Amino acid sequence: MDKLLITGGTALNGEIRISGAKNAALPILASTLLADGPVTVCNVPHLHDITTTMELLGNMGVHLVVDEKLNIEVNGPTIRDFVAPYELVKTMRASILVLGPLLARYGRAEVSLPGGCAIGSRPVNLHIEGLQAMGADIRVENGFIKARASRLKGARIRHEVVTVTGTENLMMAAALADGTTVIENAAREPEVVDLADCINALGGKVYGAGTETLTIEGVESLSGGRYCVLPDRIETGTYLVAAAITGGRVKLKDTNPVLLGVVLDKLIECGAKVETGPDWVSLDMQGRRPKAVDIYTAPFPDFPTDMQAQFVALNCIAEGRAEITETVFENRFMHVQELQRMGANIELHGRVATTTGVERLTAAPVMATDLRASASLVLAGLVAEGETVVDRIYHIDRGYEGIEEKLGQLGASIRRIPASHTDSASILSDVLP
Ligand code: EPZ
């Protein structure tokens, strides 16, 4: 497995471009299955999860044309298979996002149950119950969700728990249903709004996106078209934290600061100087040590769970104590024990991590367990004394396009050690004079 080798101690400085949002590109690529004609999706990030999605669609017989900028033209009607196999779903849970569109457009789908992951059990009951409310016949057997529907019917659905991909799956299913669907307590994330905007660009009628009540009037068909994915707010927030943790100054272009909301507020609270423009955001820590900040994660517009691990890393070297409460997932502190190995002072009690900032972290060999935990270990490596080796970085490749190139552009000392050279001897021979 590839590893990242990071030499800490450099204050980041410079400008980089932010990529399209992974968590918008995935549902939008799935939504192309709804259309009668080819849909071109642009500003798609070059990530492993995108490759997996293209493989999933390609295996179904969907025709894909990819240009040099990774604009992807998806021609859904060439589909010949309606199965999302375990081999792919186990590597990317978001594969379940083909369930709604396949049912709505073709009346059939067989999608492997995604199963849990490092951060939680990740049930999909709300996806299934919502589709059943719309008239789908769904059986769960042999590890698969087997669904059939002559034509889905509009329904009124209320989610007890806010679910991002659950809202997205049901929005896509409702887009071609007979009648109107109302989803109450819907997810309000910007990526959900981006999906709604894409469906509407293809002729759909989705109203209320970004509020807690979605109304979708089913239409007979959706046309082909073109849609560009919004910038990745979590990638943006991660690089802002990279500047804050190293006491540096960065400017991030091709992004949208409005999407960051409370994350910017928290960065200002920790002492950073933040400036924004229509498509850029800059952070200047002015060489100062950040102040620790309390974090309480919750669905948008509150503090995003996908930025929690990054702020734990920031708090590890910040001034003072703080509490980070994770309310969305039951096991999203896997990064804590790895950070403790780097000298962090963190006490974990259930869903609350209490950090007491230390003057410095020390490098260590650490292991990534999930996407955002791996980002927090890279952030800690940027500021730790010595050479940090982050293992299992396939997790990070799922969500951060060219992380070592982008951090390198900002002055970080970071390089990828390919799997074939990752035994300790060759690492030492690489780094020893
Ligand atoms: C999406 O996951 C994101 N993934 C996650 O990003 C993100 O952390 C999460 O939303 C929360 O914002 C994509 O968009 C591809 P949920 P999702 O359904 O939709 C419970 C990353 O790092 N729940 O909103 O799978 C669930 O257990 C990834 O980019 C049910 O109980 O998350 C959890 O406690 C990680 N039943 C809560 O809802 C269901 O049927 C929120 O989960 C569905 C969810």
PDB file of all heavy atoms in Angstrom, residues 155-181:
ATOM      1  N   ALA A 155     -45.075  10.386  -2.747  1.00  0.00           N
ATOM      2  CA  ALA A 155     -45.460  10.057  -1.356  1.00  0.00           C
ATOM      3  C   ALA A 155     -44.985  11.172  -0.439  1.00  0.00           C
ATOM      4  O   ALA A 155     -44.157  11.995  -0.824  1.00  0.00           O
ATOM      5  CB  ALA A 155     -44.807   8.732  -0.950  1.00  0.00           C
ATOM      6  N   ARG A 156     -45.525  11.190   0.767  1.00  0.00           N
ATOM      7  CA  ARG A 156     -45.035  12.134   1.786  1.00  0.00           C
ATOM      8  C   ARG A 156     -44.152  11.330   2.730  1.00  0.00           C
ATOM      9  O   ARG A 156     -44.599  10.342   3.325  1.00  0.00           O
ATOM     10  CB  ARG A 156     -46.200  12.779   2.546  1.00  0.00           C
ATOM     11  CG  ARG A 156     -45.743  13.717   3.676  1.00  0.00           C
ATOM     12  CD  ARG A 156     -46.911  14.425   4.323  1.00  0.00           C
ATOM     13  NE  ARG A 156     -47.444  15.465   3.432  1.00  0.00           N
ATOM     14  CZ  ARG A 156     -46.936  16.703   3.359  1.00  0.00           C
ATOM     15  NH1 ARG A 156     -45.874  17.037   4.099  1.00  0.00           N
ATOM     16  NH2 ARG A 156     -47.460  17.600   2.547  1.00  0.00           N
ATOM     17  N   ILE A 157     -42.894  11.720   2.844  1.00  0.00           N
ATOM     18  CA  ILE A 157     -41.899  10.964   3.626  1.00  0.00           C
ATOM     19  C   ILE A 157     -41.296  11.888   4.677  1.00  0.00           C
ATOM     20  O   ILE A 157     -40.926  13.029   4.355  1.00  0.00           O
ATOM     21  CB  ILE A 157     -40.785  10.433   2.686  1.00  0.00           C
ATOM     22  CG1 ILE A 157     -41.387   9.474   1.647  1.00  0.00           C
ATOM     23  CG2 ILE A 157     -39.662   9.762   3.474  1.00  0.00           C
ATOM     24  CD1 ILE A 157     -40.497   9.256   0.425  1.00  0.00           C
ATOM     25  N   ARG A 158     -41.218  11.399   5.915  1.00  0.00           N
ATOM     26  CA  ARG A 158     -40.558  12.212   6.955  1.00  0.00           C
ATOM     27  C   ARG A 158     -39.396  11.422   7.526  1.00  0.00           C
ATOM     28  O   ARG A 158     -39.562  10.275   7.965  1.00  0.00           O
ATOM     29  CB  ARG A 158     -41.550  12.557   8.070  1.00  0.00           C
ATOM     30  CG  ARG A 158     -40.866  13.243   9.214  1.00  0.00           C
ATOM     31  CD  ARG A 158     -41.726  13.892  10.249  1.00  0.00           C
ATOM     32  NE  ARG A 158     -40.866  14.525  11.261  1.00  0.00           N
ATOM     33  CZ  ARG A 158     -40.165  15.656  11.060  1.00  0.00           C
ATOM     34  NH1 ARG A 158     -40.277  16.284   9.886  1.00  0.00           N
ATOM     35  NH2 ARG A 158     -39.370  16.151  11.972  1.00  0.00           N
ATOM     36  N   HIS A 159     -38.205  11.978   7.490  1.00  0.00           N
ATOM     37  CA  HIS A 159     -37.030  11.289   8.034  1.00  0.00           C
ATOM     38  C   HIS A 159     -36.830  11.659   9.500  1.00  0.00           C
ATOM     39  O   HIS A 159     -36.728  12.840   9.838  1.00  0.00           O
ATOM     40  CB  HIS A 159     -35.786  11.676   7.217  1.00  0.00           C
ATOM     41  CG  HIS A 159     -35.719  10.946   5.910  1.00  0.00           C
ATOM     42  ND1 HIS A 159     -34.966  11.372   4.837  1.00  0.00           N
ATOM     43  CD2 HIS A 159     -36.328   9.809   5.498  1.00  0.00           C
ATOM     44  CE1 HIS A 159     -35.115  10.537   3.831  1.00  0.00           C
ATOM     45  NE2 HIS A 159     -35.921   9.574   4.202  1.00  0.00           N
ATOM     46  N   GLU A 160     -36.760  10.641  10.344  1.00  0.00           N
ATOM     47  CA  GLU A 160     -36.485  10.906  11.776  1.00  0.00           C
ATOM     48  C   GLU A 160     -35.041  11.396  11.945  1.00  0.00           C
ATOM     49  O   GLU A 160     -34.723  12.162  12.829  1.00  0.00           O
ATOM     50  CB  GLU A 160     -36.714   9.630  12.595  1.00  0.00           C
ATOM     51  CG  GLU A 160     -38.207   9.276  12.728  1.00  0.00           C
ATOM     52  CD  GLU A 160     -39.071  10.504  13.031  1.00  0.00           C
ATOM     53  OE1 GLU A 160     -38.746  11.251  13.976  1.00  0.00           O
ATOM     54  OE2 GLU A 160     -40.041  10.746  12.276  1.00  0.00           O
ATOM     55  N   VAL A 161     -34.172  10.897  11.069  1.00  0.00           N
ATOM     56  CA  VAL A 161     -32.748  11.272  11.127  1.00  0.00           C
ATOM     57  C   VAL A 161     -32.400  11.917   9.786  1.00  0.00           C
ATOM     58  O   VAL A 161     -32.818  11.412   8.736  1.00  0.00           O
ATOM     59  CB  VAL A 161     -31.860  10.014  11.332  1.00  0.00           C
ATOM     60  CG1 VAL A 161     -30.387  10.375  11.282  1.00  0.00           C
ATOM     61  CG2 VAL A 161     -32.208   9.319  12.636  1.00  0.00           C
ATOM     62  N   VAL A 162     -31.673  13.008   9.798  1.00  0.00           N
ATOM     63  CA  VAL A 162     -31.263  13.634   8.540  1.00  0.00           C
ATOM     64  C   VAL A 162     -30.249  12.722   7.849  1.00  0.00           C
ATOM     65  O   VAL A 162     -29.226  12.362   8.443  1.00  0.00           O
ATOM     66  CB  VAL A 162     -30.634  15.013   8.789  1.00  0.00           C
ATOM     67  CG1 VAL A 162     -30.060  15.580   7.487  1.00  0.00           C
ATOM     68  CG2 VAL A 162     -31.668  15.984   9.364  1.00  0.00           C
ATOM     69  N   THR A 163     -30.550  12.334   6.609  1.00  0.00           N
ATOM     70  CA  THR A 163     -29.616  11.485   5.860  1.00  0.00           C
ATOM     71  C   THR A 163     -29.322  12.132   4.514  1.00  0.00           C
ATOM     72  O   THR A 163     -30.251  12.411   3.734  1.00  0.00           O
ATOM     73  CB  THR A 163     -30.169  10.063   5.645  1.00  0.00           C
ATOM     74  OG1 THR A 163     -29.427   9.415   4.605  1.00  0.00           O
ATOM     75  CG2 THR A 163     -31.643  10.025   5.323  1.00  0.00           C
ATOM     76  N   VAL A 164     -28.063  12.359   4.231  1.00  0.00           N
ATOM     77  CA  VAL A 164     -27.655  13.044   2.997  1.00  0.00           C
ATOM     78  C   VAL A 164     -27.946  12.168   1.787  1.00  0.00           C
ATOM     79  O   VAL A 164     -28.747  12.533   0.912  1.00  0.00           O
ATOM     80  CB  VAL A 164     -26.169  13.441   3.052  1.00  0.00           C
ATOM     81  CG1 VAL A 164     -25.691  13.979   1.709  1.00  0.00           C
ATOM     82  CG2 VAL A 164     -25.936  14.477   4.149  1.00  0.00           C
ATOM     83  N   THR A 165     -27.358  10.976   1.727  1.00  0.00           N
ATOM     84  CA  THR A 165     -27.587  10.145   0.538  1.00  0.00           C
ATOM     85  C   THR A 165     -29.005   9.575   0.533  1.00  0.00           C
ATOM     86  O   THR A 165     -29.558   9.280  -0.543  1.00  0.00           O
ATOM     87  CB  THR A 165     -26.573   8.983   0.453  1.00  0.00           C
ATOM     88  OG1 THR A 165     -26.557   8.298   1.693  1.00  0.00           O
ATOM     89  CG2 THR A 165     -25.184   9.479   0.104  1.00  0.00           C
ATOM     90  N   GLY A 166     -29.614   9.462   1.711  1.00  0.00           N
ATOM     91  CA  GLY A 166     -31.029   9.028   1.738  1.00  0.00           C
ATOM     92  C   GLY A 166     -31.900  10.063   1.067  1.00  0.00           C
ATOM     93  O   GLY A 166     -32.753   9.738   0.213  1.00  0.00           O
ATOM     94  N   THR A 167     -31.673  11.332   1.391  1.00  0.00           N
ATOM     95  CA  THR A 167     -32.423  12.419   0.749  1.00  0.00           C
ATOM     96  C   THR A 167     -32.161  12.416  -0.755  1.00  0.00           C
ATOM     97  O   THR A 167     -33.089  12.546  -1.564  1.00  0.00           O
ATOM     98  CB  THR A 167     -31.996  13.783   1.340  1.00  0.00           C
ATOM     99  OG1 THR A 167     -32.284  13.789   2.741  1.00  0.00           O
ATOM    100  CG2 THR A 167     -32.715  14.931   0.653  1.00  0.00           C
ATOM    101  N   GLU A 168     -30.907  12.215  -1.132  1.00  0.00           N
ATOM    102  CA  GLU A 168     -30.532  12.247  -2.551  1.00  0.00           C
ATOM    103  C   GLU A 168     -31.146  11.095  -3.329  1.00  0.00           C
ATOM    104  O   GLU A 168     -31.682  11.271  -4.429  1.00  0.00           O
ATOM    105  CB  GLU A 168     -28.995  12.230  -2.674  1.00  0.00           C
ATOM    106  CG  GLU A 168     -28.349  13.515  -2.184  1.00  0.00           C
ATOM    107  CD  GLU A 168     -26.848  13.403  -1.981  1.00  0.00           C
ATOM    108  OE1 GLU A 168     -26.301  12.264  -1.915  1.00  0.00           O
ATOM    109  OE2 GLU A 168     -26.202  14.464  -1.881  1.00  0.00           O
ATOM    110  N   ASN A 169     -31.116   9.889  -2.746  1.00  0.00           N
ATOM    111  CA  ASN A 169     -31.702   8.719  -3.424  1.00  0.00           C
ATOM    112  C   ASN A 169     -33.193   8.928  -3.673  1.00  0.00           C
ATOM    113  O   ASN A 169     -33.707   8.677  -4.764  1.00  0.00           O
ATOM    114  CB  ASN A 169     -31.491   7.466  -2.559  1.00  0.00           C
ATOM    115  CG  ASN A 169     -30.829   6.338  -3.347  1.00  0.00           C
ATOM    116  OD1 ASN A 169     -30.885   6.296  -4.583  1.00  0.00           O
ATOM    117  ND2 ASN A 169     -30.181   5.445  -2.641  1.00  0.00           N
ATOM    118  N   LEU A 170     -33.889   9.413  -2.655  1.00  0.00           N
ATOM    119  CA  LEU A 170     -35.341   9.590  -2.781  1.00  0.00           C
ATOM    120  C   LEU A 170     -35.677  10.768  -3.682  1.00  0.00           C
ATOM    121  O   LEU A 170     -36.677  10.725  -4.418  1.00  0.00           O
ATOM    122  CB  LEU A 170     -35.961   9.752  -1.390  1.00  0.00           C
ATOM    123  CG  LEU A 170     -35.774   8.540  -0.470  1.00  0.00           C
ATOM    124  CD1 LEU A 170     -36.384   8.808   0.903  1.00  0.00           C
ATOM    125  CD2 LEU A 170     -36.371   7.271  -1.087  1.00  0.00           C
ATOM    126  N   MET A 171     -34.844  11.799  -3.712  1.00  0.00           N
ATOM    127  CA  MET A 171     -35.072  12.916  -4.631  1.00  0.00           C
ATOM    128  C   MET A 171     -34.999  12.412  -6.067  1.00  0.00           C
ATOM    129  O   MET A 171     -35.846  12.743  -6.912  1.00  0.00           O
ATOM    130  CB  MET A 171     -34.008  13.988  -4.407  1.00  0.00           C
ATOM    131  CG  MET A 171     -34.171  15.235  -5.259  1.00  0.00           C
ATOM    132  SD  MET A 171     -32.620  16.159  -5.448  1.00  0.00           S
ATOM    133  CE  MET A 171     -32.314  16.681  -3.763  1.00  0.00           C
ATOM    134  N   MET A 172     -33.989  11.584  -6.350  1.00  0.00           N
ATOM    135  CA  MET A 172     -33.816  11.061  -7.708  1.00  0.00           C
ATOM    136  C   MET A 172     -34.975  10.138  -8.070  1.00  0.00           C
ATOM    137  O   MET A 172     -35.530  10.199  -9.165  1.00  0.00           O
ATOM    138  CB  MET A 172     -32.474  10.335  -7.833  1.00  0.00           C
ATOM    139  CG  MET A 172     -31.272  11.259  -7.769  1.00  0.00           C
ATOM    140  SD  MET A 172     -29.706  10.444  -8.139  1.00  0.00           S
ATOM    141  CE  MET A 172     -29.335   9.652  -6.579  1.00  0.00           C
ATOM    142  N   ALA A 173     -35.389   9.296  -7.115  1.00  0.00           N
ATOM    143  CA  ALA A 173     -36.516   8.397  -7.385  1.00  0.00           C
ATOM    144  C   ALA A 173     -37.778   9.192  -7.669  1.00  0.00           C
ATOM    145  O   ALA A 173     -38.545   8.893  -8.606  1.00  0.00           O
ATOM    146  CB  ALA A 173     -36.726   7.472  -6.184  1.00  0.00           C
ATOM    147  N   ALA A 174     -37.985  10.263  -6.909  1.00  0.00           N
ATOM    148  CA  ALA A 174     -39.211  11.070  -7.040  1.00  0.00           C
ATOM    149  C   ALA A 174     -39.240  11.868  -8.339  1.00  0.00           C
ATOM    150  O   ALA A 174     -40.317  12.235  -8.828  1.00  0.00           O
ATOM    151  CB  ALA A 174     -39.334  12.005  -5.844  1.00  0.00           C
ATOM    152  N   ALA A 175     -38.076  12.111  -8.913  1.00  0.00           N
ATOM    153  CA  ALA A 175     -38.000  12.982 -10.098  1.00  0.00           C
ATOM    154  C   ALA A 175     -38.837  12.444 -11.252  1.00  0.00           C
ATOM    155  O   ALA A 175     -39.384  13.218 -12.048  1.00  0.00           O
ATOM    156  CB  ALA A 175     -36.541  13.129 -10.525  1.00  0.00           C
ATOM    157  N   LEU A 176     -38.957  11.109 -11.350  1.00  0.00           N
ATOM    158  CA  LEU A 176     -39.725  10.488 -12.456  1.00  0.00           C
ATOM    159  C   LEU A 176     -40.959   9.758 -11.942  1.00  0.00           C
ATOM    160  O   LEU A 176     -41.581   8.980 -12.678  1.00  0.00           O
ATOM    161  CB  LEU A 176     -38.830   9.505 -13.230  1.00  0.00           C
ATOM    162  CG  LEU A 176     -37.660  10.101 -14.027  1.00  0.00           C
ATOM    163  CD1 LEU A 176     -36.869   8.986 -14.710  1.00  0.00           C
ATOM    164  CD2 LEU A 176     -38.142  11.120 -15.054  1.00  0.00           C
ATOM    165  N   ALA A 177     -41.299   9.970 -10.674  1.00  0.00           N
ATOM    166  CA  ALA A 177     -42.462   9.257 -10.106  1.00  0.00           C
ATOM    167  C   ALA A 177     -43.757   9.877 -10.624  1.00  0.00           C
ATOM    168  O   ALA A 177     -43.769  11.001 -11.140  1.00  0.00           O
ATOM    169  CB  ALA A 177     -42.416   9.323  -8.583  1.00  0.00           C
ATOM    170  N   ASP A 178     -44.843   9.135 -10.439  1.00  0.00           N
ATOM    171  CA  ASP A 178     -46.165   9.619 -10.841  1.00  0.00           C
ATOM    172  C   ASP A 178     -46.727  10.423  -9.664  1.00  0.00           C
ATOM    173  O   ASP A 178     -47.068   9.866  -8.626  1.00  0.00           O
ATOM    174  CB  ASP A 178     -47.063   8.396 -11.122  1.00  0.00           C
ATOM    175  CG  ASP A 178     -48.465   8.831 -11.520  1.00  0.00           C
ATOM    176  OD1 ASP A 178     -48.649  10.057 -11.803  1.00  0.00           O
ATOM    177  OD2 ASP A 178     -49.377   7.981 -11.507  1.00  0.00           O
ATOM    178  N   GLY A 179     -46.753  11.754  -9.803  1.00  0.00           N
ATOM    179  CA  GLY A 179     -47.266  12.568  -8.703  1.00  0.00           C
ATOM    180  C   GLY A 179     -46.160  13.303  -7.953  1.00  0.00           C
ATOM    181  O   GLY A 179     -44.997  13.292  -8.361  1.00  0.00           O
ATOM    182  N   THR A 180     -46.567  13.877  -6.828  1.00  0.00           N
ATOM    183  CA  THR A 180     -45.652  14.735  -6.064  1.00  0.00           C
ATOM    184  C   THR A 180     -45.160  14.030  -4.800  1.00  0.00           C
ATOM    185  O   THR A 180     -45.935  13.349  -4.124  1.00  0.00           O
ATOM    186  CB  THR A 180     -46.381  16.047  -5.672  1.00  0.00           C
ATOM    187  OG1 THR A 180     -46.757  16.720  -6.885  1.00  0.00           O
ATOM    188  CG2 THR A 180     -45.493  16.957  -4.837  1.00  0.00           C
ATOM    189  N   THR A 181     -43.879  14.197  -4.520  1.00  0.00           N
ATOM    190  CA  THR A 181     -43.274  13.643  -3.308  1.00  0.00           C
ATOM    191  C   THR A 181     -42.804  14.788  -2.424  1.00  0.00           C
ATOM    192  O   THR A 181     -42.254  15.774  -2.929  1.00  0.00           O
ATOM    193  CB  THR A 181     -42.070  12.744  -3.666  1.00  0.00           C
ATOM    194  OG1 THR A 181     -42.544  11.663  -4.469  1.00  0.00           O
ATOM    195  CG2 THR A 181     -41.372  12.197  -2.417  1.00  0.00           C
TER     196      THR A 181
END
